[in-house]
Amino acid sequence: RSVTMEDKAIIDLYLSRSEKAINETDKKYRPFCRSIAFNILRDHGESDECINDTYLKLWNSIPPQIPVMLANYIAKITRNTALFFYRQKHRLKRGGDTVELALSEIAECVDMSSDVEDEAAGRETAAEIAEFLDSLDESRRVVFLLRYWYFLSNGEIAKRQNISEASVRTSLHRSRKQLKKFLEEKGIYQ
């Protein structure tokens, strides 16, 4: 069994431009990245491609970025890369799959258009959503994140959280309604 490096040591490898950084990242984070990518893409080959792109993006972004929490940084890059792959693949086709359904549900509350006018507004919205999520009790926050961050189906969430699908749907509906109201009060969503 191989020993994995601590995140700080991996980041130091990126900062010193050592190619060993990618090997150590892969050793420690491949299953985590594969889980995120597969939940969105539902294809092992595309998930592996996504992971390779994620590693390239890590290599190109560290430096100048120095992540505080490497796992979160990798998760965000993997998720965004998988969503890009997903959109490219489904550009012409609109279906009722889990990702499409989740995106259409959350679009009730948040502008999901890709032409965000400016990056500052996007960061402000993200900060407000984080504040909203902090206000939820842990079980509702977990259900919300499993659906809209990890794109799990309601059935998968129910199984993972040991609750009924009806409870998942109710929790998500209430959370979306609260989020919309929260963002309206903050002047972000009209």
Side-chain angles (χ1 to χ4, degrees):
R1 182 178 163 197
S2 64
V3 177
T4 59
M5 291 183 111
E6 292 295 319
D7 286 353
K8 183 179 179 339
I10 294 172
I11 291 169
D12 288 343
L13 289 172
Y14 280 102
L15 294 173
S16 66
R17 306 312 289 158
S18 168
E19 291 182 21
K20 188 177 176 192
I22 292 175
N23 292 335
E24 293 299 328
T25 301
D26 187 60
K27 204 185 303 182
K28 185 169 185 177
Y29 287 106
R30 179 168 281 278
F32 178 59
C33 293
R34 181 177 287 132
S35 170
I36 293 168
F38 188 79
N39 283 340
I40 295 169
L41 299 169
R42 301 291 181 190
D43 180 280
H44 291 291
E46 287 180 4
S47 297
D48 287 339
E49 254 186 85
C50 174
I51 293 166
N52 291 336
D53 280 14
T54 296
Y55 294 162
L56 178 62
K57 289 176 183 179
L58 280 169
W59 180 260
N60 290 331
S61 68
I62 306 173
Q65 299 292 319
I66 302 174
V68 176
M69 300 209 37
L70 186 59
N72 292 350
Y73 191 73
I74 290 171
K76 182 177 180 180
I77 291 174
T78 304
R79 180 180 181 273
N80 290 342
T81 303
L83 284 171
F84 176 79
F85 274 53
Y86 178 87
R87 287 184 183 116
Q88 294 292 64
K89 181 178 177 182
H90 293 86
R91 203 176 10 203
L92 302 174
K93 174 180 98 176
R94 290 287 184 218
D97 67 5
T98 302
V99 174
E100 279 301 321
L101 288 171
L103 290 173
S104 68
E105 289 168 2
I106 199 66
E108 297 171 10
C109 314
V110 180
D111 179 14
M112 298 298 286
S113 67
S114 56
D115 9 316
V116 175
E117 300 248 337
D118 73 58
E119 197 175 314
R123 281 195 303 271
E124 179 185 347
T125 301
E128 297 297 346
I129 291 171
E131 181 182 331
F132 168 76
L133 289 172
D134 285 343
S135 75
L136 295 177
D137 66 60
E138 184 180 358
S139 64
R140 284 190 52 207
R141 181 174 44 251
V142 168
V143 167
F144 190 92
L145 289 171
L146 289 174
R147 180 68 173 160
Y148 302 118
W149 178 261
Y150 293 102
F151 294 107
L152 296 184
S153 70
N154 290 348
E156 291 168 319
I157 295 168
K159 197 178 298 178
R160 188 176 280 197
Q161 295 303 107
N162 199 26
I163 57 178
S164 70
E165 279 191 59
S167 295
V168 171
R169 283 191 302 275
T170 300
S171 174
L172 291 171
H173 175 76
R174 288 180 180 158
S175 294
R176 286 191 312 269
K177 195 172 170 182
Q178 281 181 286
L179 175 60
K180 184 176 179 181
K181 183 177 185 226
F182 180 86
L183 293 176
E184 284 171 348
E185 288 171 358
K186 297 282 187 175
I188 291 176
Y189 184 85
Q190 307 306 330

CSV table of all heavy atoms in Angstrom, one decimal, residues 68-120:
chain,number,residue,atom,x,y,z
A,68,VAL,N,-5.9,27.0,-0.5
A,68,VAL,CA,-5.9,26.8,0.9
A,68,VAL,C,-6.3,25.4,1.3
A,68,VAL,O,-5.7,24.7,2.1
A,68,VAL,CB,-6.9,27.8,1.6
A,68,VAL,CG1,-7.0,27.6,3.1
A,68,VAL,CG2,-6.5,29.2,1.3
A,69,MET,N,-7.3,24.9,0.6
A,69,MET,CA,-7.7,23.5,0.7
A,69,MET,C,-7.7,22.8,-0.6
A,69,MET,O,-8.5,23.0,-1.5
A,69,MET,CB,-9.1,23.4,1.3
A,69,MET,CG,-9.2,24.1,2.7
A,69,MET,SD,-10.5,23.5,3.8
A,69,MET,CE,-10.5,21.8,3.6
A,70,LEU,N,-6.7,22.0,-0.8
A,70,LEU,CA,-6.4,21.3,-2.1
A,70,LEU,C,-7.6,20.5,-2.5
A,70,LEU,O,-8.0,20.5,-3.7
A,70,LEU,CB,-5.2,20.5,-2.1
A,70,LEU,CG,-4.7,19.9,-3.4
A,70,LEU,CD1,-4.5,21.0,-4.4
A,70,LEU,CD2,-3.5,19.0,-3.2
A,71,ALA,N,-8.2,19.8,-1.6
A,71,ALA,CA,-9.4,18.9,-2.0
A,71,ALA,C,-10.5,19.7,-2.6
A,71,ALA,O,-11.1,19.4,-3.6
A,71,ALA,CB,-9.9,18.1,-0.8
A,72,ASN,N,-10.8,20.9,-2.0
A,72,ASN,CA,-11.9,21.7,-2.5
A,72,ASN,C,-11.5,22.3,-3.8
A,72,ASN,O,-12.4,22.5,-4.7
A,72,ASN,CB,-12.2,22.8,-1.5
A,72,ASN,CG,-12.8,22.3,-0.2
A,72,ASN,OD1,-13.2,21.2,-0.1
A,72,ASN,ND2,-12.9,23.2,0.8
A,73,TYR,N,-10.3,22.7,-4.0
A,73,TYR,CA,-9.8,23.3,-5.2
A,73,TYR,C,-9.9,22.3,-6.3
A,73,TYR,O,-10.4,22.6,-7.4
A,73,TYR,CB,-8.4,23.8,-5.0
A,73,TYR,CG,-7.8,24.6,-6.1
A,73,TYR,CD1,-8.2,26.0,-6.2
A,73,TYR,CD2,-6.8,24.1,-6.9
A,73,TYR,CE1,-7.7,26.8,-7.2
A,73,TYR,CE2,-6.3,24.9,-7.9
A,73,TYR,CZ,-6.7,26.2,-8.1
A,73,TYR,OH,-6.2,27.0,-9.0
A,74,ILE,N,-9.5,21.1,-6.1
A,74,ILE,CA,-9.6,20.0,-7.1
A,74,ILE,C,-11.0,19.7,-7.4
A,74,ILE,O,-11.4,19.5,-8.6
A,74,ILE,CB,-8.8,18.8,-6.6
A,74,ILE,CG1,-7.3,19.0,-6.6
A,74,ILE,CG2,-9.1,17.5,-7.5
A,74,ILE,CD1,-6.5,17.9,-6.0
A,75,ALA,N,-11.9,19.6,-6.4
A,75,ALA,CA,-13.3,19.3,-6.6
A,75,ALA,C,-13.9,20.4,-7.5
A,75,ALA,O,-14.7,20.0,-8.4
A,75,ALA,CB,-14.0,19.3,-5.3
A,76,LYS,N,-13.6,21.6,-7.3
A,76,LYS,CA,-14.2,22.7,-8.1
A,76,LYS,C,-13.7,22.6,-9.5
A,76,LYS,O,-14.5,22.7,-10.5
A,76,LYS,CB,-13.8,24.1,-7.5
A,76,LYS,CG,-14.4,25.2,-8.2
A,76,LYS,CD,-14.1,26.5,-7.6
A,76,LYS,CE,-14.7,27.7,-8.3
A,76,LYS,NZ,-14.3,29.0,-7.7
A,77,ILE,N,-12.4,22.4,-9.7
A,77,ILE,CA,-11.9,22.3,-11.1
A,77,ILE,C,-12.5,21.0,-11.8
A,77,ILE,O,-12.9,21.1,-13.0
A,77,ILE,CB,-10.4,22.2,-11.1
A,77,ILE,CG1,-9.8,23.6,-10.7
A,77,ILE,CG2,-9.9,21.9,-12.5
A,77,ILE,CD1,-8.3,23.6,-10.5
A,78,THR,N,-12.6,19.9,-11.1
A,78,THR,CA,-13.2,18.7,-11.7
A,78,THR,C,-14.6,18.9,-12.1
A,78,THR,O,-15.1,18.6,-13.2
A,78,THR,CB,-13.0,17.5,-10.7
A,78,THR,OG1,-11.7,17.4,-10.3
A,78,THR,CG2,-13.6,16.2,-11.3
A,79,ARG,N,-15.4,19.5,-11.2
A,79,ARG,CA,-16.8,19.7,-11.4
A,79,ARG,C,-17.0,20.7,-12.6
A,79,ARG,O,-17.8,20.4,-13.5
A,79,ARG,CB,-17.4,20.3,-10.2
A,79,ARG,CG,-18.9,20.6,-10.3
A,79,ARG,CD,-19.5,21.2,-9.0
A,79,ARG,NE,-20.9,21.5,-9.1
A,79,ARG,CZ,-21.4,22.6,-9.7
A,79,ARG,NH1,-20.6,23.6,-10.1
A,79,ARG,NH2,-22.7,22.8,-9.7
A,80,ASN,N,-16.3,21.8,-12.6
A,80,ASN,CA,-16.4,22.7,-13.7
A,80,ASN,C,-16.0,22.1,-15.1
A,80,ASN,O,-16.6,22.3,-16.1
A,80,ASN,CB,-15.6,24.0,-13.5
A,80,ASN,CG,-16.3,24.8,-12.4
A,80,ASN,OD1,-17.4,24.6,-12.0
A,80,ASN,ND2,-15.5,25.7,-11.8
A,81,THR,N,-14.9,21.3,-15.0
A,81,THR,CA,-14.5,20.6,-16.3
A,81,THR,C,-15.5,19.6,-16.7
A,81,THR,O,-15.8,19.5,-17.9
A,81,THR,CB,-13.1,19.9,-16.0
A,81,THR,OG1,-12.2,20.9,-15.5
A,81,THR,CG2,-12.6,19.3,-17.3
A,82,ALA,N,-16.1,18.8,-15.8
A,82,ALA,CA,-17.1,17.8,-16.2
A,82,ALA,C,-18.3,18.5,-16.7
A,82,ALA,O,-18.9,18.1,-17.7
A,82,ALA,CB,-17.4,17.0,-14.9
A,83,LEU,N,-18.7,19.6,-16.1
A,83,LEU,CA,-19.9,20.4,-16.6
A,83,LEU,C,-19.6,20.9,-18.0
A,83,LEU,O,-20.5,20.9,-18.9
A,83,LEU,CB,-20.3,21.5,-15.7
A,83,LEU,CG,-21.0,21.1,-14.4
A,83,LEU,CD1,-21.1,22.3,-13.5
A,83,LEU,CD2,-22.3,20.6,-14.7
A,84,PHE,N,-18.4,21.3,-18.3
A,84,PHE,CA,-18.0,21.8,-19.7
A,84,PHE,C,-18.1,20.6,-20.6
A,84,PHE,O,-18.7,20.7,-21.7
A,84,PHE,CB,-16.6,22.4,-19.7
A,84,PHE,CG,-16.1,22.7,-21.0
A,84,PHE,CD1,-16.5,23.9,-21.6
A,84,PHE,CD2,-15.3,21.9,-21.8
A,84,PHE,CE1,-16.1,24.2,-22.9
A,84,PHE,CE2,-14.9,22.2,-23.0
A,84,PHE,CZ,-15.3,23.4,-23.6
A,85,PHE,N,-17.6,19.4,-20.3
A,85,PHE,CA,-17.7,18.3,-21.1
A,85,PHE,C,-19.1,17.9,-21.3
A,85,PHE,O,-19.6,17.6,-22.5
A,85,PHE,CB,-17.0,17.0,-20.4
A,85,PHE,CG,-15.6,16.9,-20.6
A,85,PHE,CD1,-14.7,17.9,-20.4
A,85,PHE,CD2,-15.0,15.7,-21.1
A,85,PHE,CE1,-13.3,17.8,-20.6
A,85,PHE,CE2,-13.7,15.5,-21.3
A,85,PHE,CZ,-12.8,16.6,-21.0
A,86,TYR,N,-19.9,18.0,-20.3
A,86,TYR,CA,-21.3,17.6,-20.4
A,86,TYR,C,-22.1,18.6,-21.3
A,86,TYR,O,-22.8,18.1,-22.2
A,86,TYR,CB,-22.0,17.7,-19.0
A,86,TYR,CG,-23.5,17.4,-19.0
A,86,TYR,CD1,-23.9,16.1,-18.9
A,86,TYR,CD2,-24.4,18.5,-19.2
A,86,TYR,CE1,-25.3,15.9,-19.0
A,86,TYR,CE2,-25.7,18.2,-19.3
A,86,TYR,CZ,-26.2,16.9,-19.2
A,86,TYR,OH,-27.5,16.6,-19.2
A,87,ARG,N,-21.8,19.9,-21.2
A,87,ARG,CA,-22.5,20.8,-22.1
A,87,ARG,C,-22.1,20.6,-23.5
A,87,ARG,O,-22.9,20.8,-24.4
A,87,ARG,CB,-22.2,22.2,-21.6
A,87,ARG,CG,-22.9,22.6,-20.3
A,87,ARG,CD,-22.7,24.0,-19.9
A,87,ARG,NE,-23.4,24.3,-18.7
A,87,ARG,CZ,-22.8,24.7,-17.6
A,87,ARG,NH1,-21.5,24.8,-17.5
A,87,ARG,NH2,-23.5,24.9,-16.5
A,88,GLN,N,-20.8,20.3,-23.8
A,88,GLN,CA,-20.3,20.1,-25.1
A,88,GLN,C,-21.0,18.9,-25.7
A,88,GLN,O,-21.5,18.9,-26.9
A,88,GLN,CB,-18.8,19.8,-25.1
A,88,GLN,CG,-18.0,21.0,-24.8
A,88,GLN,CD,-18.1,22.1,-25.8
A,88,GLN,OE1,-19.1,22.7,-26.0
A,88,GLN,NE2,-17.0,22.4,-26.4
A,89,LYS,N,-21.1,17.8,-24.9
A,89,LYS,CA,-21.8,16.6,-25.4
A,89,LYS,C,-23.3,16.7,-25.7
A,89,LYS,O,-23.8,16.2,-26.6
A,89,LYS,CB,-21.5,15.5,-24.4
A,89,LYS,CG,-22.1,14.1,-24.8
A,89,LYS,CD,-21.8,13.1,-23.7
A,89,LYS,CE,-22.4,11.8,-24.0
A,89,LYS,NZ,-22.1,10.8,-23.0
A,90,HIS,N,-23.9,17.5,-24.8
A,90,HIS,CA,-25.4,17.7,-24.9
A,90,HIS,C,-25.9,19.0,-25.5
A,90,HIS,O,-27.0,19.3,-25.3
A,90,HIS,CB,-26.0,17.5,-23.5
A,90,HIS,CG,-25.8,16.1,-22.9
A,90,HIS,ND1,-24.6,15.7,-22.3
A,90,HIS,CD2,-26.6,15.0,-23.0
A,90,HIS,CE1,-24.7,14.5,-21.9
A,90,HIS,NE2,-25.9,14.0,-22.3
A,91,ARG,N,-25.0,19.6,-26.2
A,91,ARG,CA,-25.3,20.9,-26.7
A,91,ARG,C,-26.6,20.9,-27.6
A,91,ARG,O,-27.4,21.7,-27.5
A,91,ARG,CB,-24.1,21.4,-27.6
A,91,ARG,CG,-24.1,22.9,-27.8
A,91,ARG,CD,-22.9,23.3,-28.5
A,91,ARG,NE,-22.1,22.2,-29.0
A,91,ARG,CZ,-20.8,22.3,-29.3
A,91,ARG,NH1,-20.2,23.4,-29.2
A,91,ARG,NH2,-20.2,21.2,-29.8
A,92,LEU,N,-26.7,19.9,-28.4
A,92,LEU,CA,-27.8,19.8,-29.3
A,92,LEU,C,-29.0,19.0,-28.8
A,92,LEU,O,-30.1,19.0,-29.3
A,92,LEU,CB,-27.4,19.1,-30.7
A,92,LEU,CG,-26.3,19.9,-31.4
A,92,LEU,CD1,-25.8,19.1,-32.6
A,92,LEU,CD2,-26.7,21.3,-31.8
A,93,LYS,N,-28.7,18.2,-27.7
A,93,LYS,CA,-29.7,17.3,-27.2
A,93,LYS,C,-30.2,17.8,-25.8
A,93,LYS,O,-29.3,18.0,-25.0
A,93,LYS,CB,-29.1,15.9,-27.1
A,93,LYS,CG,-29.9,14.9,-26.5
A,93,LYS,CD,-29.2,13.5,-26.5
A,93,LYS,CE,-28.5,13.3,-25.2
A,93,LYS,NZ,-27.9,12.1,-25.0
A,94,ARG,N,-31.4,17.9,-25.6
A,94,ARG,CA,-31.9,18.2,-24.3
A,94,ARG,C,-32.8,17.0,-23.8
A,94,ARG,O,-33.7,16.6,-24.5
A,94,ARG,CB,-32.9,19.5,-24.3
A,94,ARG,CG,-32.1,20.7,-24.6
A,94,ARG,CD,-31.4,21.1,-23.4
A,94,ARG,NE,-30.7,22.4,-23.5
A,94,ARG,CZ,-29.5,22.7,-23.1
A,94,ARG,NH1,-28.8,21.8,-22.4
A,94,ARG,NH2,-29.0,23.9,-23.2
A,95,GLY,N,-32.4,16.5,-22.7
A,95,GLY,CA,-33.1,15.3,-22.2
A,95,GLY,C,-33.5,15.5,-20.8
A,95,GLY,O,-33.4,16.6,-20.2
A,96,GLY,N,-34.0,14.4,-20.2
A,96,GLY,CA,-34.4,14.5,-18.8
A,96,GLY,C,-33.5,13.8,-17.9
A,96,GLY,O,-33.9,13.2,-16.9
A,97,ASP,N,-32.2,13.9,-18.1
A,97,ASP,CA,-31.2,13.2,-17.2
A,97,ASP,C,-31.0,14.0,-16.0
A,97,ASP,O,-31.5,15.1,-15.8
A,97,ASP,CB,-29.9,12.9,-18.0
A,97,ASP,CG,-29.1,14.1,-18.4
A,97,ASP,OD1,-29.5,15.2,-18.0
A,97,ASP,OD2,-28.1,13.9,-19.0
A,98,THR,N,-30.3,13.4,-15.0
A,98,THR,CA,-30.1,14.0,-13.7
A,98,THR,C,-29.5,15.4,-13.8
A,98,THR,O,-29.9,16.3,-13.1
A,98,THR,CB,-29.2,13.1,-12.8
A,98,THR,OG1,-29.8,11.8,-12.8
A,98,THR,CG2,-29.0,13.6,-11.5
A,99,VAL,N,-28.4,15.6,-14.6
A,99,VAL,CA,-27.8,16.9,-14.6
A,99,VAL,C,-28.7,18.0,-15.2
A,99,VAL,O,-28.9,19.0,-14.6
A,99,VAL,CB,-26.5,16.8,-15.4
A,99,VAL,CG1,-25.8,18.2,-15.6
A,99,VAL,CG2,-25.5,15.9,-14.7
A,100,GLU,N,-29.4,17.6,-16.3
A,100,GLU,CA,-30.3,18.6,-16.9
A,100,GLU,C,-31.4,19.0,-15.9
A,100,GLU,O,-31.8,20.1,-15.8
A,100,GLU,CB,-30.9,18.1,-18.2
A,100,GLU,CG,-30.1,18.2,-19.4
A,100,GLU,CD,-29.7,19.6,-19.7
A,100,GLU,OE1,-30.6,20.6,-19.6
A,100,GLU,OE2,-28.6,19.8,-20.1
A,101,LEU,N,-32.0,18.0,-15.2
A,101,LEU,CA,-33.0,18.2,-14.3
A,101,LEU,C,-32.6,19.1,-13.1
A,101,LEU,O,-33.2,20.0,-12.7
A,101,LEU,CB,-33.6,16.9,-13.8
A,101,LEU,CG,-34.4,16.1,-14.7
A,101,LEU,CD1,-34.8,14.7,-14.1
A,101,LEU,CD2,-35.7,16.8,-15.1
A,102,ALA,N,-31.4,18.8,-12.6
A,102,ALA,CA,-30.8,19.6,-11.5
A,102,ALA,C,-30.6,21.0,-11.9
A,102,ALA,O,-30.9,21.9,-11.2
A,102,ALA,CB,-29.6,18.9,-11.0
A,103,LEU,N,-30.0,21.2,-13.1
A,103,LEU,CA,-29.8,22.5,-13.6
A,103,LEU,C,-31.1,23.3,-13.8
A,103,LEU,O,-31.1,24.5,-13.5
A,103,LEU,CB,-28.9,22.5,-14.9
A,103,LEU,CG,-27.5,22.1,-14.7
A,103,LEU,CD1,-26.8,21.9,-16.1
A,103,LEU,CD2,-26.7,23.0,-13.9
A,104,SER,N,-32.1,22.6,-14.3
A,104,SER,CA,-33.3,23.3,-14.6
A,104,SER,C,-34.0,23.7,-13.2
A,104,SER,O,-34.6,24.7,-13.1
A,104,SER,CB,-34.3,22.5,-15.5
A,104,SER,OG,-34.7,21.4,-14.8
A,105,GLU,N,-33.9,22.8,-12.2
A,105,GLU,CA,-34.5,23.1,-10.9
A,105,GLU,C,-33.8,24.3,-10.3
A,105,GLU,O,-34.5,25.2,-9.8
A,105,GLU,CB,-34.3,21.9,-10.0
A,105,GLU,CG,-35.1,20.7,-10.3
A,105,GLU,CD,-34.7,19.4,-9.5
A,105,GLU,OE1,-33.8,19.5,-8.7
A,105,GLU,OE2,-35.3,18.4,-9.8
A,106,ILE,N,-32.5,24.3,-10.3
A,106,ILE,CA,-31.8,25.4,-9.6
A,106,ILE,C,-31.9,26.7,-10.4
A,106,ILE,O,-31.8,27.8,-9.8
A,106,ILE,CB,-30.3,25.0,-9.3
A,106,ILE,CG1,-29.7,25.9,-8.2
A,106,ILE,CG2,-29.5,25.1,-10.5
A,106,ILE,CD1,-30.3,25.8,-6.9
A,107,ALA,N,-32.2,26.6,-11.7
A,107,ALA,CA,-32.4,27.9,-12.5
A,107,ALA,C,-33.6,28.7,-12.0
A,107,ALA,O,-33.7,29.9,-12.3
A,107,ALA,CB,-32.5,27.5,-14.0
A,108,GLU,N,-34.5,28.0,-11.3
A,108,GLU,CA,-35.6,28.8,-10.7
A,108,GLU,C,-35.1,29.9,-9.7
A,108,GLU,O,-35.8,30.9,-9.5
A,108,GLU,CB,-36.5,27.8,-9.8
A,108,GLU,CG,-37.2,26.7,-10.6
A,108,GLU,CD,-37.8,25.8,-9.6
A,108,GLU,OE1,-37.9,26.0,-8.4
A,108,GLU,OE2,-38.3,24.7,-10.1
A,109,CYS,N,-33.9,29.6,-9.1
A,109,CYS,CA,-33.4,30.5,-8.1
A,109,CYS,C,-32.2,31.3,-8.5
A,109,CYS,O,-32.0,32.4,-8.0
A,109,CYS,CB,-33.0,29.7,-6.9
A,109,CYS,SG,-34.1,28.5,-6.4
A,110,VAL,N,-31.4,30.8,-9.4
A,110,VAL,CA,-30.1,31.4,-9.7
A,110,VAL,C,-29.9,31.5,-11.2
A,110,VAL,O,-30.3,30.5,-11.9
A,110,VAL,CB,-28.9,30.5,-9.2
A,110,VAL,CG1,-27.6,31.1,-9.5
A,110,VAL,CG2,-29.1,30.3,-7.7
A,111,ASP,N,-29.4,32.6,-11.7
A,111,ASP,CA,-29.2,32.8,-13.1
A,111,ASP,C,-28.1,31.8,-13.6
A,111,ASP,O,-26.9,32.0,-13.1
A,111,ASP,CB,-28.8,34.2,-13.5
A,111,ASP,CG,-28.6,34.4,-14.9
A,111,ASP,OD1,-28.9,33.6,-15.7
A,111,ASP,OD2,-28.0,35.5,-15.3
A,112,MET,N,-28.4,30.8,-14.4
A,112,MET,CA,-27.4,29.8,-14.8
A,112,MET,C,-26.8,30.1,-16.1
A,112,MET,O,-26.1,29.3,-16.7
A,112,MET,CB,-28.0,28.4,-14.8
A,112,MET,CG,-28.5,28.0,-13.5
A,112,MET,SD,-27.2,27.8,-12.2
A,112,MET,CE,-26.5,26.3,-12.8
A,113,SER,N,-27.1,31.3,-16.7
A,113,SER,CA,-26.6,31.6,-18.0
A,113,SER,C,-25.0,31.7,-18.0
A,113,SER,O,-24.4,32.0,-17.0
A,113,SER,CB,-27.1,33.0,-18.5
A,113,SER,OG,-26.6,34.0,-17.7
A,114,SER,N,-24.4,31.3,-19.1
A,114,SER,CA,-23.0,31.3,-19.1
A,114,SER,C,-22.4,32.7,-19.4
A,114,SER,O,-21.2,32.9,-19.3
A,114,SER,CB,-22.5,30.3,-20.2
A,114,SER,OG,-23.1,30.6,-21.4
A,115,ASP,N,-23.2,33.6,-19.9
A,115,ASP,CA,-22.6,34.9,-20.1
A,115,ASP,C,-22.9,35.9,-18.9
A,115,ASP,O,-23.5,36.9,-19.1
A,115,ASP,CB,-23.2,35.6,-21.4
A,115,ASP,CG,-24.4,34.8,-22.0
A,115,ASP,OD1,-24.3,33.6,-22.1
A,115,ASP,OD2,-25.3,35.5,-22.5
A,116,VAL,N,-22.3,35.5,-17.8
A,116,VAL,CA,-22.4,36.3,-16.6
A,116,VAL,C,-21.7,37.6,-16.9
A,116,VAL,O,-20.6,37.6,-17.5
A,116,VAL,CB,-21.7,35.6,-15.4
A,116,VAL,CG1,-21.7,36.5,-14.2
A,116,VAL,CG2,-22.4,34.3,-15.1
A,117,GLU,N,-22.4,38.7,-16.7
A,117,GLU,CA,-21.9,40.0,-17.1
A,117,GLU,C,-20.5,40.3,-16.5
A,117,GLU,O,-19.6,40.8,-17.2
A,117,GLU,CB,-22.9,41.1,-16.6
A,117,GLU,CG,-24.2,40.9,-17.2
A,117,GLU,CD,-24.5,42.0,-18.2
A,117,GLU,OE1,-24.0,43.1,-18.2
A,117,GLU,OE2,-25.4,41.7,-19.1
A,118,ASP,N,-20.3,40.0,-15.3
A,118,ASP,CA,-18.9,40.2,-14.8
A,118,ASP,C,-18.6,39.3,-13.6
A,118,ASP,O,-19.5,38.8,-13.0
A,118,ASP,CB,-18.7,41.7,-14.4
A,118,ASP,CG,-19.3,42.1,-13.1
A,118,ASP,OD1,-19.1,41.5,-12.0
A,118,ASP,OD2,-20.1,43.1,-13.1
A,119,GLU,N,-17.4,39.0,-13.5
A,119,GLU,CA,-16.9,38.0,-12.6
A,119,GLU,C,-17.2,38.4,-11.1
A,119,GLU,O,-17.5,37.5,-10.3
A,119,GLU,CB,-15.4,37.8,-12.8
A,119,GLU,CG,-14.9,36.5,-12.2
A,119,GLU,CD,-13.4,36.3,-12.5
A,119,GLU,OE1,-13.0,36.4,-13.6
A,119,GLU,OE2,-12.7,36.0,-11.5
A,120,ALA,N,-17.2,39.6,-10.8
A,120,ALA,CA,-17.5,40.1,-9.5
A,120,ALA,C,-18.9,39.8,-9.1
A,120,ALA,O,-19.1,39.4,-7.9
A,120,ALA,CB,-17.2,41.6,-9.4
